Amino acid sequence: MKSLITIPFFLLLFHLSFAQHAPQRPRIGLALSGGGAKGLAHIGILKALDSAGLKIDYITGTSMGAVIGALYAIGYSAGDIEKLARKIDWDVMLSNQSSLRGFVMEEKDEYGRYAVELPWVNHKFRIPAGVLEGEELWLKFAELFYPVYNVKDFNQFNIPFKCISADIATAEAVASDSGDIVTAIRSSIAIPTLFTPVEINGRMLIDGGVVRNFPVKDVKEMGADIVIGSHTASGLQPKEKVSNALQVLMQIAFFNEVAGNKNEEALCDVYLKMPLDNYSMASFNRAEEILQIGIEEGRKLYPQLKQLSDSLNRIYGEAPRPVSGLPTVDSIKISSIEIRGLEKTTFGFFDHMMGFEKGKYYTSEKLSKMIRRVFGTRYYSRIKYELQPLPDGSVTVVFDVVENPISFAKLGVHYNNYTGISLIGNLTTRNFFLPHSRSLITLNVGQNFRARTEHLQYLGRGKKIALILGMQYDHLDVNTYDMFRKDGVYGAQLFKADGKFEYSANRKFTVGAGTRYEWIRYSPSIQSVFEISGKNNFITSYAFFAVNTLNKSVYPNRGIKIEGELGAIYDQHPGLMFYSSGRPITNTDSIGISYDDYQRAILNSEAYLPLSSRWTFSSSFQGGLNFSYRQSILNDFSVGGLSKLFRNQVLFAGLEENTINTSSVAALQFGLRYELYNNLYAIARANGLVNNFISINNILQKPNFLSGYALTLGYNFALGPFEISAMFCDQSKKMRSYINLGISF
């Protein structure tokens, strides 16, 4: 930290040198470095500046320094920015995930399932220029900078401002001081290979930290006589920490930055080096710690900033304060919209899905909600907007959209104790057969083979009515149990063809009806006391409804999900043999087997309630009833497991998959989840279950009441959730381990 003992002497010389002219107060510039999450520490120096009453005349920033600096420049106080930083959900901001609530019902089950998504562009699959488009980041910036939507010259902010980006083609630093502030800021934080580049005036721009991470030179060029610099980068690692090839390459990559930083530091009159060596650019999970360090460093610097402020005021008088703080803009009147970038979709489709009405007033939050509705159709990878003022006081909204390619190849990995390791591949294409459609094929290749195809056809542009046709084939190894002891293995095959109509009144609720054909075949692989061999096929006609208000597809912390079905099963064609201790049972009536038509009702629900920023309470109910049903296993409900893997499964903490088979079941589970660190969770579950309360089937012994518990350590990362669990069931008296990686087929 540079000492300010010489500041009064410096000011005296400055004053005397210009005494023959009208005295002019020295201009003070503030330069904020990049640093990713570490840039949050800059808030500490802003709080010290506010406390000292020191007026800043110019601000420059790179990357996160540009974000913090721009907010301060337009009129947010240091306290306001601190509150924003503590409130923002950084996981959502720095991901490709948008709130699940904005998606149409038909897209929610597919969203966020795969670790890798490769678009088909120009007759080949393309690796994107960056991993993250950051739709939520665009929207958050649009909301934060909404009060200055009509200011296109950054010199007209409360404090003149420049942000630094880098031209990817020329490696030149680009200092943006005009245009759309949201676009300029987004370009300054476009970390190469992480965020997609941003095009401005024909130049493709990326994170300015690549060429000028500490923009002191730029604030001097703006006219600053005294420069205060806040620097969060860690610099080079000591030789003891450079012990492998990757670390050597990383060290070399920072050579130019370190050399440049030394030159910029020399231009500072007040220099603050934040002690953040134990943090990285990605340490947003430790945002509170970084903020506190910045605040503590600001407090240490405060006496010197106060000395500078008092010295200036004694010599030049009180500095004039800005005319106003942050402009107050509650809502604006939108008279028209313009959409750029449409090729495969139409203006009418975009406008209809957004629900825009001309001549009405809109807040930034309302605009974001409308954009999420359009984004939720999954036809677009990015939707940003700029507000252009009109002479009559209203505005035109110019939407700049990037459409998703028609086709994507998607890949995921799944491992589970029960199904083993699998590679899951998916090909999804839109409007391939007909407009307003989605077709997909998914393959699960591993210890079990599974395949699914589906065609979804919207009827009408409003996406309220859809026809969904699908087929699925599964070949699974199914364990069987006798009194909680594994006693056999079946090779089970299932083929299903399904057709249904559904009506979605909104993005939370859908209702419909359909008919499906199912073919099932069981072949014993390991002999057990009671065996089934053969096949059956039947038809189910059903009505259904679904509600989904979850905010996330993985580890949600708010909302409900309910699925219900009422159906009639008929037209069975059995070809089954039953065996007891290896001997065929010729009289199936003696064991209560018949193939009469029957009815079925299913209800599954789950709910999540945030108790605090880290605690989430959850509850779930699973119920299934087969009325007038007398056939074991083939269409029973299968109890056990912590992850949904196959048809008719009822999850139960404490038992492995398929431990219990029953014709009627009701299970209630409560859970408590705590976020230990960013994306690292501890989860406790307790559940109870009753079964066989409609029609008792005694072919297999089944306790009528079960209770169980599970403790889980889960981590959500690029491949999906990775969970290690310990389970216990009061009836089996056994402790079991359970491992699951990724999202299942």
Side-chain angles (χ1 to χ4, degrees):
M1 183 188 303
K2 273 193 178 179
S3 172
L4 289 179
I5 296 175
T6 60
I7 285 294
F9 180 69
F10 166 78
L11 293 175
L12 178 62
L13 290 177
F14 184 90
H15 179 67
L16 291 175
S17 66
F18 289 93
Q20 56 187 345
H21 306 290
Q24 181 180 0
R25 186 184 185 89
R27 300 289 182 172
I28 299 178
L30 176 65
L32 304 177
S33 76
K38 295 189 289 185
L40 295 172
H42 291 314
I43 297 172
I45 198 171
L46 298 185
K47 295 193 73 172
L49 288 169
D50 280 357
S51 297
L54 188 60
K55 178 182 178 294
I56 298 298
D57 297 289
Y58 307 105
I59 299 179
T60 56
T62 297
S63 196
M64 184 58 79
V67 178
I68 303 297
L71 292 171
Y72 196 64
I74 70 172
Y76 286 95
S77 70
D80 294 334
I81 300 172
E82 180 188 3
K83 290 177 184 177
L84 289 171
R86 294 185 189 278
K87 185 179 179 181
I88 286 175
D89 186 338
W90 294 104
D91 288 343
V92 174
M93 290 301 101
L94 302 172
S95 73
N96 272 340
Q97 301 296 308
S98 187
S99 174
L100 196 64
R101 295 181 173 186
F103 286 78
V104 294
M105 286 291 289
E106 295 77 22
E107 296 287 352
K108 291 187 177 186
D109 285 343
E110 285 294 307
Y111 185 59
R113 293 183 63 87
Y114 300 96
V116 178
E117 296 190 4
L118 300 176
W120 178 262
V121 180
N122 296 328
H123 309 293
K124 61 182 179 181
F125 289 110
R126 185 189 69 188
I127 298 177
V131 177
L132 304 177
E133 182 61 63
E135 176 66 17
E136 286 298 318
L137 197 63
W138 282 105
L139 294 179
K140 177 54 70 175
F141 283 171
E143 291 177 15
L144 293 176
F145 292 98
Y146 190 75
V148 292
Y149 75 90
N150 56 344
V151 181
K152 303 304 178 184
D153 180 355
F154 304 166
N155 290 309
Q156 300 302 313
F157 291 160
N158 273 5
I159 304 171
F161 171 76
K162 284 185 179 181
C163 68
I164 310 303
S165 305
D167 189 319
I168 199 171
T170 65
E172 295 175 333
V174 178
S176 299
D177 60 4
S178 62
D180 177 48
I181 182 62
V182 171
T183 305
I185 295 298
R186 172 61 174 79
S187 71
S188 186
I189 66 165
I191 301 170
T193 72
L194 180 62
F195 284 105
T196 53
V198 176
E199 184 177 352
I200 301 179
N201 298 326
R203 306 180 80 170
M204 197 64 71
L205 304 182
I206 58 174
D207 192 311
V210 174
V211 291
R212 192 176 302 147
N213 194 48
F214 192 28
V216 181
K217 172 185 174 184
D218 301 274
V219 82
K220 293 282 286 186
E221 291 175 352
M222 291 177 76
D225 302 301
I226 300 172
V227 176
I228 301 170
S230 178
H231 194 206
T232 62
S234 299
L236 297 177
Q237 296 291 324
K239 63 181 182 180
E240 295 80 11
K241 293 188 177 182
V242 184
S243 57
N244 58 50
L246 179 59
Q247 290 170 339
V248 170
L249 290 175
M250 291 296 293
Q251 189 88 327
I252 293 171
F254 283 104
F255 279 1
N256 289 336
E257 180 185 332
V258 171
N261 286 339
K262 289 181 179 179
N263 296 330
E264 301 294 318
E265 290 170 21
L267 297 175
C268 291
D269 299 289
V270 181
Y271 175 66
L272 176 60
K273 177 69 167 67
M274 295 288 184
L276 297 168
D277 291 347
N278 293 327
Y279 301 87
S280 72
M281 294 177 62
S283 297
F284 285 96
N285 60 316
R286 303 173 72 185
E288 294 285 341
E289 299 172 29
I290 294 171
L291 270 168
Q292 195 57 42
I293 289 173
I295 291 170
E296 291 298 325
E297 293 301 308
R299 286 173 181 161
K300 294 176 186 177
L301 188 63
Y302 167 77
Q304 298 174 359
L305 296 178
K306 181 63 174 172
Q307 180 187 13
L308 175 58
S309 177
D310 292 344
S311 299
L312 287 170
N313 290 340
R314 281 195 298 268
I315 297 174
Y316 300 99
E318 290 287 337
R321 305 306 299 167
V323 176
S324 62
L326 188 68
T328 301
V329 181
D330 294 326
S331 62
I332 55 176
K333 183 180 179 181
I334 299 178
S335 57
S336 61
I337 66 172
E338 180 183 340
I339 307 171
R340 299 171 182 169
L342 295 179
E343 294 179 4
K344 297 181 285 292
T345 57
T346 65
F347 181 99
F349 174 79
F350 188 100
D351 187 32
H352 179 81
M353 297 308 299
M354 185 174 59
F356 169 75
E357 296 182 50
K358 293 181 181 179
K360 284 201 169 185
Y361 285 83
Y362 291 90
T363 63
S364 60
E365 292 79 8
K366 176 66 174 176
L367 281 172
S368 294
K369 184 176 180 180
M370 293 163 62
I371 290 170
R372 289 187 181 99
R373 282 207 298 260
V374 184
F375 188 77
T377 64
R378 303 215 68 188
Y379 279 91
Y380 307 94
S381 63
R382 188 198 73 199
I383 305 171
K384 75 179 189 74
Y385 68 89
E386 182 179 349
L387 302 172
Q388 295 185 349
L390 297 175
D392 63 358
S394 65
V395 301
T396 291
V397 185
V398 179
F399 292 99
D400 184 0
V401 308
V402 175
E403 295 175 316
N404 272 323
I406 290 177
S407 301
F408 276 87
K410 308 176 186 182
L411 295 173
V413 175
H414 182 248
Y415 172 80
N416 184 276
N417 297 40
Y418 189 79
T419 58
I421 185 73
S422 299
L423 178 66
I424 302 175
N426 171 279
L427 179 63
T428 298
T429 185
R430 298 179 187 276
N431 303 339
F432 184 76
F433 297 106
L434 292 169
H436 307 303
S437 68
R438 183 199 69 192
S439 304
L440 60 83
I441 181 170
T442 306
L443 297 177
N444 181 103
V445 180
Q447 293 176 236
N448 296 279
F449 177 78
R450 310 177 75 178
R452 178 169 70 97
T453 63
E454 181 182 275
H455 177 77
L456 182 153
Q457 182 67 57
Y458 288 108
L459 307 176
R461 67 176 186 173
K463 289 199 168 187
K464 290 185 178 294
I465 301 176
L467 169 65
I468 303 176
L469 304 174
M471 292 187 295
Q472 181 170 329
Y473 173 78
D474 295 342
H475 192 295
L476 300 171
D477 290 330
V478 179
N479 297 330
T480 61
Y481 293 81
D482 180 20
M483 292 303 295
F484 309 109
R485 182 180 59 83
K486 181 179 174 181
D487 76 335
V489 177
Y490 281 87
Q493 298 180 66
L494 165 71
F495 172 77
K496 177 176 70 175
D498 194 3
K500 61 184 178 182
F501 286 96
E502 64 180 46
Y503 172 76
S504 299
N506 51 46
R507 312 235 166 168
K508 303 175 183 177
F509 177 78
T510 189
V511 64
T515 296
R516 61 176 170 260
Y517 166 83
E518 293 178 85
W519 175 88
I520 305 169
R521 182 181 185 88
Y522 276 90
S523 301
S525 300
I526 298 177
Q527 190 177 47
S528 58
V529 175
F530 178 80
E531 295 176 1
I532 300 175
S533 180
K535 60 182 177 62
N536 190 15
N537 60 77
F538 49 87
I539 296 174
T540 305
S541 293
Y542 60 92
F544 68 93
F545 77 95
V547 178
N548 189 332
T549 66
L550 300 182
N551 62 335
K552 300 177 184 178
S553 56
V554 178
Y555 294 131
N557 60 5
R558 189 182 301 274
I560 62 172
K561 182 179 181 180
I562 305 173
E563 296 175 335
E565 179 182 302
L566 181 63
I569 292 84
Y570 56 94
D571 197 24
Q572 298 188 67
H573 295 86
L576 294 167
M577 289 294 296
F578 296 85
Y579 298 86
S580 178
S581 300
R583 297 179 180 178
I585 302 173
T586 56
N587 181 12
T588 56
D589 289 338
S590 65
I591 55 174
I593 300 294
S594 77
Y595 300 98
D596 296 335
D597 298 345
Y598 61 96
Q599 296 75 44
R600 149 176 291 220
I602 301 172
L603 179 65
N604 296 315
S605 68
E606 53 189 281
Y608 300 86
L609 176 67
L611 302 178
S612 69
S613 60
R614 293 188 177 272
W615 288 96
T616 300
F617 172 78
S618 65
S619 63
S620 69
F621 173 80
Q622 302 166 88
L625 306 174
N626 285 331
F627 301 98
S628 304
Y629 166 84
R630 291 192 300 157
Q631 46 177 313
S632 179
I633 297 179
L634 287 186
N635 215 15
D636 275 359
F637 298 100
S638 174
V639 175
L642 297 177
S643 304
K644 198 74 172 178
L645 300 174
F646 47 80
R647 67 188 286 273
N648 294 345
Q649 184 182 2
V650 174
L651 303 181
F652 187 80
L655 297 177
E656 297 168 326
E657 289 84 354
N658 208 49
T659 299
I660 299 291
N661 288 275
T662 176
S663 62
S664 55
V665 62
L668 182 63
Q669 181 182 105
F670 296 105
L672 194 61
R673 186 176 73 222
Y674 179 70
E675 187 172 13
L676 300 166
Y677 297 101
N678 190 39
N679 287 320
L680 180 65
Y681 301 92
I683 308 166
R685 301 181 180 96
N687 48 205
L689 176 150
V690 293
N691 66 87
N692 282 330
F693 52 83
I694 294 296
S695 57
I696 304 299
N697 189 326
N698 292 318
I699 294 177
L700 300 178
Q701 297 180 23
K702 308 180 186 73
N704 295 114
F705 175 78
L706 297 169
S707 55
Y709 320 90
L711 288 175
T712 300
L713 185 66
Y715 179 65
N716 190 26
F717 71 122
L719 293 178
F722 175 56
E723 297 185 338
I724 301 175
S725 303
M727 306 189 302
F728 180 78
C729 176
D730 291 318
Q731 286 67 40
S732 69
K733 306 297 183 183
K734 293 181 179 178
M735 182 74 74
R736 292 176 169 84
S737 63
Y738 193 91
I739 299 175
N740 187 83
L741 168 64
I743 299 174
S744 68
F745 178 86

